[in-house]
């Protein structure tokens, strides 16, 4: 089915290599692009050297400050300055927030003064298709350089700053694909015309869903997951009628398997020290076969080496050979995103900072939230708590105690069920339907999500 879609390209799908969030969203939409290839705006073949340097300077600063944040005083001060530029103002009281921010003005200075993304937009013009971008700069540039086709922006957090909206939103033709109802409302405060906003939900990979009408994979994975996370039936006893209606009366007839937990650190490799503390805490439980641990190093060799060392220091080399501990590392970003999507189908619990991965609770995965990094993650945390799909992780050095208490009580099974029932899963399907001119083929999302 995916190959059939690739033969009928619907859009140029554009992302940026800046952390993982923007590319992760684009990965879920890759089948819409020519040859199924996502264009990375700051790292494509033939990008002008001058423009590459501009992008690298911005990305390097972001990653440095993200890692530097943990340095006492100086680190927090530097991060505060960067975060202020991306700050999301309080939503209430509702008011006009359309005045361009400093970051928006800086972005347009790069586009108009330095020709940022001009070469990319020219290349797209050789094969005119709508542009679907998971970052704002290529979209702003497309409009600025009079790109003839439709321009869409996929937003990747549960709330967004003014940076995502152009200088004059009331005159802009850029169309927004919102992951949450709050984002859809926020865009209107920023001055975006309501007709240019569609609530789609965040795009999760097709290979984790299993169908537009009946999400075969999601339901099968959730059924197995909830049995693993509620071995004593504490949550099931309270929700039996709902579960039977969804899965049938044989729900949890099979014997639960060993639960698994996945630790995913951000693209800058932040918070890996917290993962090391959790791994040491869980080491005996791993050896005894009570839990399976997956460590996600992404595409960063230094994070992979760090996790390999921590596995040795925790005495888990034999457990790793036995498959009780795995490290997900791939130096190819497409390979990493593909492997991560597969891993999510077998993951029972996801530990991560509340990044774009917060939306993976829609697959029925309970999220244990690490401390936030940045204003947008504070809003992701609030959204995830609101839909009931996650909770703040407690001290990682005591995870061997509290994690199994949460499993025993059925609390994690409850989060899995809440995420599945309250968070949208079909964002990629909705975006495809919109591009195909059939936006009504899936049920409309309630504005609250």
């Amino acid at each position: 089915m995916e190959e059939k879609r690739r033969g009928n390209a619907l859009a140029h799908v554009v992302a940026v290599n800046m952390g993982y969030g923007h590319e992760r969203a684009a990965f879920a939409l890759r089948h819409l692009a020519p040859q199924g290839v996502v264009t990375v705006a700051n790292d494509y073949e033939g990008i002008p050297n001058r423009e590459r340097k501009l992008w690298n300077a911005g990305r390097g600063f972001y990653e440095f400050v993200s890692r530097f944040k943990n340095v006492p005083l100086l680190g927090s001060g530097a991060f505060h300055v960067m975060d202020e530029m991306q700050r999301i103002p309080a939503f209430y009281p509702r008011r006009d927030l359309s005045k361009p921010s400093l970051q928006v003005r800086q972005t347009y200075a790069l586009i108009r003064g330095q020709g940022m993304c001009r070469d990319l937009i020219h290349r797209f013009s050789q094969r005119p298709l709508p542009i679907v971008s998971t970052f704002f700069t290529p979209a702003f540039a497309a409009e600025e350089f009079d790109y003839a086709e439709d321009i869409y922006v996929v937003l990747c957090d549960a709330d967004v700053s003014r940076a995502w909206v152009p200088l004059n939103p009331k005159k802009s033709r850029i169309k927004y694909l919102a992951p949450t109802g709050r984002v859809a409302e926020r865009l209107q405060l920023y001055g975006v015309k309501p007709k240019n906003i569609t609530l789609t939900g965040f795009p999760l990979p097709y290979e984790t869903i299993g169908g537009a009408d009946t999400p075969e994979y999601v339901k099968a994975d959730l059924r197995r997951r909830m049995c693993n996370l509620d071995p004593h039936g504490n949550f099931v006893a309270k929700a039996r009628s709902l579960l039977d209606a969804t899965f049938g009366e044989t729900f949890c007839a099979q014997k639960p398997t060993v639960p698994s937990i996945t630790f995913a650190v951000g693209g800058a490799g932040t918070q890996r020290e917290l993962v090391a503390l959790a791994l040491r805490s869980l080491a005996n439980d791993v050896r005894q076969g009570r839990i399976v641990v997956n460590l996600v190093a992404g595409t960063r060799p230094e994070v992979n080496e760090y996790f390999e060392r921590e596995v040795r220091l925790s005495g888990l080399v034999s457990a790793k050979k036995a498959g009780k501990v795995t490290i997900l590392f791939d130096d190819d970003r497409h390979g990493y995103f593909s492997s991560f999507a597969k891993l999510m189908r077998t993951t029972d619990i996801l530990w991560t900072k509340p990044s774009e991965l917060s939306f993976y609770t829609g697959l029925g995965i309970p999220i244990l939230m690490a401390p936030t990094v940045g204003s947008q993650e504070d809003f992701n945390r609030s959204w995830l708590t609101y839909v009931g799909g996650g909770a703040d992780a407690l001290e990682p050095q005591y995870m061997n105690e509290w994690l199994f208490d949460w499993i025993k009580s059925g609390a994690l099974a409850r989060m899995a069920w809440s995420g599945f029932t309250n968070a949208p899963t079909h964002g990629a399907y909705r975006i495809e339907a919109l591009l195909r001119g059939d936006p009504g083929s899936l049920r409309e999302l309630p504005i609250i999500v």
Side-chain angles (χ1 to χ4, degrees), residues 121-136:
I121 302 307
H122 174 72
R123 289 169 184 260
F124 287 162
S125 297
Q126 307 308 304
R127 184 177 180 179
L129 289 170
I131 290 175
V132 176
S133 178
T134 62
F135 195 64
F136 49 82

Side-chain angles (χ1 to χ4, degrees), residues 2 5 28 31-32 204-211 217 428-429 432:
E2 184 173 320
R5 290 193 181 99
H31 59 278
L32 305 178
L204 299 171
Y206 277 123
E207 53 265 52
T208 64
I209 308 298
Y217 299 158
Y429 290 91
E432 179 176 350

Side-chain angles (χ1 to χ4, degrees), residues 46-272:
I47 182 174
N49 289 333
R50 184 165 170 271
E51 187 170 333
R52 185 189 295 275
K53 291 178 181 177
L54 288 173
W55 279 108
N56 287 345
R59 185 182 69 174
F61 176 74
Y62 167 79
E63 292 184 351
F64 170 76
V65 173
S66 294
R67 292 192 295 269
F68 190 59
K69 181 187 179 186
N70 294 329
V71 177
L73 298 179
L74 291 177
S76 58
F79 185 84
H80 176 72
V81 172
M82 183 180 75
D83 195 40
E84 273 297 302
M85 294 181 64
Q86 306 175 76
R87 185 179 65 85
I88 303 172
F91 186 84
Y92 299 108
R94 289 184 173 89
R95 61 211 183 277
D96 185 349
L97 296 173
S98 61
K99 181 180 178 180
S101 66
L102 175 61
Q103 191 175 6
V104 173
R105 297 184 185 279
Q106 289 176 330
T107 301
Y108 274 85
L110 289 172
I111 294 171
R112 293 172 174 176
Q114 304 289 337
M116 178 76 90
C117 291
R118 183 189 296 274
D119 177 76
L120 179 68
I121 302 307
H122 174 72
R123 289 169 184 260
F124 287 162
S125 297
Q126 307 308 304
R127 184 177 180 179
L129 289 170
I131 290 175
V132 176
S133 178
T134 62
F135 195 64
F136 49 82
T137 303
F140 293 173
E143 183 171 51
E144 190 70 15
F145 299 138
D146 297 320
Y147 187 72
E149 301 292 327
D150 286 338
I151 307 165
Y152 295 89
V153 172
V154 177
L155 299 118
C156 304
D157 290 295
D159 210 336
V160 294
S161 72
R162 178 61 179 80
W164 286 82
V165 175
L167 279 172
N168 193 338
K170 290 182 172 60
K171 293 183 178 180
S172 176
R173 63 187 177 90
I174 295 174
K175 300 177 181 180
Y176 287 88
L177 307 175
T180 68
R182 174 46 46 87
V183 170
E185 294 179 318
R186 171 76 69 178
L187 290 170
Q188 294 183 56
L189 298 186
Y190 290 153
V192 178
K193 293 176 284 191
K195 70 176 184 178
N196 286 342
I197 303 169
T198 303
L199 177 56
T200 60
F202 183 84
L204 299 171
Y206 277 123
E207 53 265 52
T208 64
I209 308 298
D213 300 320
T214 303
E216 177 186 353
Y217 299 158
V218 176
K219 294 181 74 171
D221 297 342
L222 177 63
R223 179 175 185 163
R224 172 198 52 75
R225 184 179 298 122
M226 289 186 63
C227 297
N228 291 348
L229 296 179
D230 191 20
H232 300 288
N234 291 320
F235 173 72
V236 170
K238 299 176 183 177
R240 172 63 70 179
S241 58
L242 286 173
L243 296 173
D244 285 350
T246 302
F247 301 106
E249 295 183 2
T250 58
F251 178 71
C252 272
Q254 73 276 22
K255 183 180 179 180
T257 57
V258 177
S260 65
I261 182 169
T262 295
F263 293 90
V265 297
T270 57
Q271 301 183 332
R272 58 190 178 188

